[in-house]
Amino acid sequence: QVHLVESGGGSVQAGGSLRLSCAASGKTYTTYCMAWFRQAPGKEREGVATIATYGTTNYADSVKGRFTISKDDATNTLYLQMNSLKPEDTAMYYCAAAELWYARRWWESPVYNYWGQGTQVTVSS
């Protein structure tokens, strides 16, 4: 079992930046592919970015060039640096872990075994 806890959300104006963190605890010695998802009110959960075991990253088209996913294996922490934020980035952001080296269909929620409780990001215009 892996326990994921997100932090770093908040309210910012358009054009601003936030850095989300996801601390993992528990069965962290297992290999995991990690990802960030988000869900806005009335919308489906969508994959934002993923980082595979050896560091390969992928992003949703809507965030490419603005968001950067990274991880620190020494501290079992996943990050999402979000720059040039837009009002449409407003959502609850979730950290997720899959017991895989790499997830080909990384944007699909059922791929992931573990989820955090989420952290709210609000971007005002």
Side-chain angles (χ1 to χ4, degrees), residues 15-19 63 65-68 80-86 89:
S17 298
L18 282 173
R19 188 193 196 200
V63 306
R66 301 188 297 123
F67 290 11
T68 302
L80 185 68
Q81 178 66 45
M82 305 186 295
N83 298 327
S84 302
L85 282 162
K86 305 176 181 179
D89 294 319

Side-chain angles (χ1 to χ4, degrees), residues 14-112:
S17 298
L18 282 173
R19 188 193 196 200
L20 305 184
S21 298
C22 172
S25 61
K27 199 172 89 173
T28 56
Y29 53 84
T30 299
T31 299
Y32 294 103
C33 177
M34 306 293 294
W36 288 97
F37 281 73
R38 67 185 180 187
Q39 188 167 19
K43 294 189 176 181
E44 293 187 357
R45 188 172 296 189
E46 63 170 343
V48 174
T50 185
I51 184 164
T53 302
Y54 287 116
T56 302
T57 59
N58 282 292
Y59 298 90
D61 288 343
S62 58
V63 306
K64 279 181 183 176
R66 301 188 297 123
F67 290 11
T68 302
I69 189 171
S70 62
K71 61 176 180 168
D72 184 340
D73 290 334
T75 61
N76 297 313
T77 306
L78 179 72
Y79 300 101
L80 185 68
Q81 178 66 45
M82 305 186 295
N83 298 327
S84 302
L85 282 162
K86 305 176 181 179
E88 51 264 44
D89 294 319
T90 295
M92 185 71 78
Y93 282 71
Y94 299 91
C95 170
E99 292 182 354
L100 299 168
W101 292 89
Y102 172 78
R104 186 170 62 89
R105 300 182 69 83
W106 66 269
W107 58 88
E108 295 183 348
S109 296
V111 168
Y112 299 88

